[in-house]
Amino acid sequence: MTTRREVANAVRALSMDAVQQANSGHPGAPMGMADIAEVLWNDYLSHNPANPNWADRDRFVLSNGHASMLLYSLLHLAGYDLPIEELKNFRQLHSKTPGHPEYGYAPGVETTTGPLGQGIANAVGMAVAERTLGAQFNTADHTIVDHHTWVFLGDGCLMEGISHEACSLAGTLGLGKLIAIYDDNGISIDGQVEGWFTDNTPQRFEAYGWHVIPAVDGHDSDSIKAAIAAAKAETGKPTLICARTTIGFGSPNKGGKESSHGAPLGAEEITLAKAQLGWKYGPFEVPNEVYAAWNARDAGEQKEAAWQTTFDAYKAANPALATEFERRMAGDLPDNWQADAAAYVQSVVEKAETIASRKASQNALNGFGPLLPEFLGGSADLAGSNLTIWSGSKVIHDDPAGNYLNYGVREFAMTAMTNGMCLHGGFIPYSATFLMFSEYSRNALRMASLMKLQNIFVFTHDSIGLGEDGPTHQPVEQTACLRLMPNMSVWRPCDAVESAIAWKVSVERKDGPSSLIFSRQGLTHQERSAEQLANVERGGYVLHEPATAPQAIIIATGSEVGMAMEACEKLSAANVAVRVVSMPSTDKFDSQDQAYRDSVLPPALKVRMAVEAGMPDLWRKYVGLDGDVMGISTFGESGPASEVYKHFGITTEALVERVSVLVKASS
């Protein structure tokens, strides 16, 4: 009879072999956590390898993503479509087994991990999504959303500050179906962590309001099983299981040492380790009886079939709710979205309001919110400034079926949590803070882009127009940084119309996140023809065309578009014909065909001026070597906004003068 240790040793052997063949990787954590994984995956995890997208599956997150061979071994052994050839191709170009788990490569990988601490924050978001979705759809007679979120994490995850942000909020929210298992092996890359990490982790998590199970033997199956059973029994709090393990368990010379953390063990040490573990098989060889012990396909299909029976009964009793659930989990927009969204945009055009774009954003939420029950909003303790609460907002702390979450001052965790909500499914999350504090969220923003998640980020107070709060709060380089991030779509609208369209396009985007950048100060409404209105969605368009052939082009975004239009009028009075181009989204404009881009920025017209109250460098690609950029390449200053703009020379008068100089130089 195959013992549990023998079953777990398959994970250890595959992890050792794959890292050795790649000559790169992290064998220590997979070897140390194999016994825990064996109990969780074989006794508790509710999943179906034949359908990795089953809506009510448990979510499993490997927050310590460097231990990726643990996850790949588990997926392969459990029966996911991850053949042994992919394990042999570990860390090779275009394999399904990259160095760290990447969402969208191997089936069963729920999120991209590797930047430590973000996996646990993703998991908190998943747990929020599970509970909120359940509150919105479960009925007294039928429960169709009822699953757990499981997390493996290590010392590094707990040292990262994001773990404090996310786990503190998880405790406050009482996420009882979130269970984290801490691989307490006392080792990180630099060696024994006691020199730099002596936190009392159980007390820390108890202070957060978690249920804590300390000092579990991570190599004793009975102890692990008892801990997991106790964790599942606690439904009012998230649980942290602190499991003592030996990194590189089974390696006679490297077990318990940092030498097993991030490098192959070596052929000789692998031979010794397999002998010590009693593993008698060659590289990548797993006996049939061990495969049989791991295979979860039959059990998984039965679990999903049982759920499907429940869902069918639910659908018979609640056809409208069931159809809505299916729509939301499929990520489809409502059937009436296009018509109703277009009608809202037209209503904004007709109002012709001069308002701050942050207020226009809130108006857009009031317009689109009733159409989108999948919205799940929030702000990092700035709702009154970001204006992210709309008339239909209900805080989930007060109403579990609500659609708004107060994140507190936790920008990094907020962003990573909303990534987890996207990954879970059923929601389009949006979250907000000041643009300056996108800095706190940067790596999670990058992860949203890397995973191509439909996540919407609202950033208000977008420039030196913030005024008296000074350079600590005045963003200068942040918009440029966001634009440089691959697959991040960035919108900086110039008025209420562009703001509404930015929201509409972001809701419709399925292949990546969007950053919506809004002003504190009022922005003048710009008049547009039907053609100009349609072209807003193309990211850049001709907002004003002079009566005679243009001698110059001014390109502007956000609050500087109004300045450009004023300058255009003054230049016209001086017999200088200027085209004004509004470019709310450079990435969207760049994605247009060459013919359209040339129609907006004709190659022959080289007299070009770009104006934006931020870093000027990006605009060089639009104005060329002969053009000019009015921007800010230093930090801001504290003072009233109008005075700060004057201090930096970003005024209508200065713009007129600089365009005039360009025109004269070209004649």
Side-chain angles (χ1 to χ4, degrees):
M1 181 177 177
T2 304
T3 66
R4 302 202 79 139
R5 176 56 53 78
E6 289 171 325
V7 173
N9 283 343
V11 171
R12 296 187 170 99
L14 289 172
S15 299
M16 286 189 283
D17 293 339
V19 171
Q20 185 66 27
Q21 179 146 312
N23 196 29
S24 174
H26 301 75
M31 296 171 72
M33 297 195 79
D35 295 309
I36 302 169
E38 189 278 323
V39 173
L40 174 61
W41 278 60
N42 286 325
D43 289 5
Y44 292 100
L45 194 70
S46 181
H47 63 124
N48 181 9
N51 181 15
N53 296 317
W54 169 31
D56 201 40
R57 69 191 182 279
D58 283 355
R59 272 58 169 182
F60 175 78
V61 174
L62 183 68
S63 189
N64 47 339
H66 56 272
S68 56
M69 267 312 303
L70 171 65
L71 180 55
Y72 300 146
S73 299
L74 293 168
L75 294 171
H76 168 72
L77 292 166
Y80 285 80
D81 184 15
L82 192 68
I84 196 70
E85 288 74 23
E86 291 293 346
L87 273 62
K88 293 178 180 178
N89 284 329
F90 177 54
R91 288 190 163 223
Q92 304 309 299
L93 187 63
H94 303 314
S95 76
K96 292 184 179 180
T97 51
H100 290 82
E102 293 189 38
Y103 177 69
Y105 279 66
V109 174
E110 299 282 4
T111 181
T112 299
T113 55
L116 294 176
Q118 286 200 61
I120 177 61
N122 292 162
V124 173
M126 292 175 185
V128 169
E130 187 275 340
R131 188 170 72 177
T132 306
L133 198 69
Q136 292 177 356
F137 283 98
N138 292 339
T139 66
D141 297 324
H142 302 95
T143 300
I144 61 168
V145 181
D146 184 14
H147 54 265
H148 283 76
T149 303
W150 305 89
V151 193
F152 281 3
L153 71 164
D155 293 299
C157 292
L158 293 178
M159 283 186 260
E160 289 286 359
I162 189 174
S163 71
H164 162 75
E165 294 183 27
C167 294
S168 167
L169 186 54
T172 298
L173 295 173
L175 300 175
K177 293 181 184 174
L178 173 65
I179 300 175
I181 303 179
Y182 166 36
D183 180 27
D184 184 11
N185 61 34
I187 297 289
S188 66
I189 292 176
D190 286 347
Q192 295 282 347
V193 300
E194 61 187 17
W196 49 87
F197 185 55
T198 57
D199 298 13
N200 188 319
T201 298
Q203 287 185 3
R204 170 187 165 187
F205 275 77
E206 286 172 356
Y208 292 152
W210 284 54
H211 171 220
V212 178
I213 304 174
V216 174
D217 184 345
H219 300 298
D220 180 78
S221 297
D222 291 337
S223 297
I224 298 163
K225 191 167 183 176
I228 294 176
K232 289 194 70 175
E234 173 55 72
T235 59
K237 299 178 180 181
T239 294
L240 179 72
I241 298 172
C242 301
R244 294 288 178 85
T245 65
T246 300
I247 191 170
F249 181 90
S251 174
N253 297 302
K254 297 185 178 183
K257 300 176 182 177
E258 64 269 23
S259 55
S260 70
H261 172 86
L265 297 181
E268 183 177 345
E269 186 67 13
I270 289 175
T271 298
L272 294 173
K274 287 183 177 180
Q276 182 162 303
L277 291 167
W279 190 259
K280 304 173 183 179
Y281 311 100
F284 299 102
E285 182 183 353
V286 178
N288 290 334
E289 60 270 23
V290 174
Y291 269 124
W294 274 107
N295 195 304
R297 291 183 74 91
D298 289 345
E301 288 176 2
Q302 291 173 12
K303 289 175 182 176
E304 183 173 357
W307 176 85
Q308 188 63 51
T309 298
T310 299
F311 185 78
D312 290 343
Y314 174 85
K315 191 169 187 176
N318 309 279
L321 269 178
T323 298
E324 178 69 358
F325 179 81
E326 290 173 324
R327 178 190 72 79
R328 284 177 54 176
M329 293 307 293
D332 297 330
L333 290 173
D335 291 340
N336 61 332
W337 165 258
Q338 284 294 338
D340 289 352
Y344 173 73
V345 171
Q346 186 57 42
S347 73
V348 176
V349 172
E350 293 168 0
K351 282 183 181 178
E353 289 184 297
T354 292
I355 54 175
S357 54
R358 62 169 174 162
K359 179 60 179 176
S361 168
Q362 185 180 48
N363 291 347
L365 285 169
N366 278 307
F368 296 143
L371 310 177
L372 297 168
E374 55 264 58
F375 260 169
L376 184 52
S379 174
D381 203 46
L382 287 168
S385 295
N386 300 144
L387 302 184
T388 46
I389 292 179
W390 56 283
S391 60
S393 292
K394 297 178 181 178
V395 177
I396 64 174
H397 186 74
D398 300 323
D399 181 354
N403 58 9
Y404 196 88
L405 176 57
N406 295 116
Y407 287 94
V409 187
R410 299 181 176 96
E411 294 90 353
F412 194 2
M414 173 180 70
T415 308
M417 284 174 61
T418 56
N419 286 344
M421 294 169 190
C422 290
L423 292 159
H424 180 278
F427 294 99
I428 299 176
Y430 67 88
S431 58
T433 185
F434 287 177
L435 177 57
M436 174 55 68
F437 304 134
S438 65
E439 296 292 340
Y440 285 131
S441 307
R442 180 65 56 79
N443 201 261
L445 293 168
R446 186 175 189 271
M447 296 297 280
S449 297
L450 184 63
M451 290 189 276
K452 302 179 180 179
L453 302 180
Q454 187 187 16
N455 204 344
I456 300 175
F457 305 111
V458 175
F459 296 120
T460 67
H461 297 63
D462 69 341
S463 70
I464 56 171
L466 179 60
E468 292 87 346
D469 280 339
T472 61
H473 284 55
Q474 292 171 5
V476 172
E477 73 276 24
Q478 282 66 36
T479 300
C481 289
L482 288 167
R483 288 179 178 137
L484 287 172
M485 192 174 289
N487 202 41
M488 175 66 75
S489 190
V490 180
W491 289 80
R492 186 174 184 246
C494 77
D495 66 358
V497 174
E498 285 190 1
S499 298
I501 291 171
W503 265 107
K504 176 179 177 292
V505 172
S506 300
V507 166
E508 292 169 357
R509 187 180 187 215
K510 300 294 185 182
D511 59 354
S514 301
S515 289
L516 307 183
I517 298 176
F518 297 121
S519 73
R520 179 193 189 190
Q521 67 270 36
L523 304 182
T524 304
H525 170 75
Q526 303 297 331
E527 294 293 334
R528 298 172 182 83
S529 67
E531 181 182 4
Q532 288 171 317
L533 183 65
N535 285 338
V536 174
E537 292 195 16
R538 305 184 82 163
Y541 63 101
V542 178
L543 179 62
H544 171 78
E545 185 71 353
T548 59
Q551 298 166 265
I553 301 175
I554 300 177
I555 310 168
T557 79
S559 50
E560 287 70 65
V561 169
M563 183 184 299
M565 292 293 284
E566 292 174 0
C568 175
E569 185 176 348
K570 291 180 181 294
L571 287 162
S572 178
N575 295 316
V576 178
V578 175
R579 168 183 288 187
V580 176
V581 171
S582 177
M583 196 175 289
S585 176
T586 58
D587 60 275
K588 193 71 172 177
F589 178 74
D590 290 346
S591 71
Q592 303 303 308
D593 60 76
Q594 188 68 48
Y596 178 77
R597 285 182 281 135
D598 287 349
S599 73
V600 177
L601 301 174
L605 185 50
K606 298 184 182 298
V607 183
R608 301 180 184 181
M609 181 82 193
V611 55
E612 184 175 62
M615 290 296 291
D617 299 43
L618 172 138
W619 295 104
R620 301 292 177 188
K621 72 175 183 177
Y622 299 110
V623 303
L625 295 176
D626 298 323
D628 191 11
V629 182
M630 178 183 284
I632 302 173
S633 55
T634 67
F635 295 118
E637 294 286 347
S638 180
S642 59
E643 293 182 18
V644 176
Y645 269 97
K646 288 178 183 178
H647 171 79
F648 285 104
I650 301 180
T651 64
T652 300
E653 293 72 23
L655 183 56
V656 168
E657 176 62 26
R658 288 172 70 164
V659 173
S660 298
V661 169
L662 285 177
V663 171
K664 288 178 183 178
S666 69
S667 59

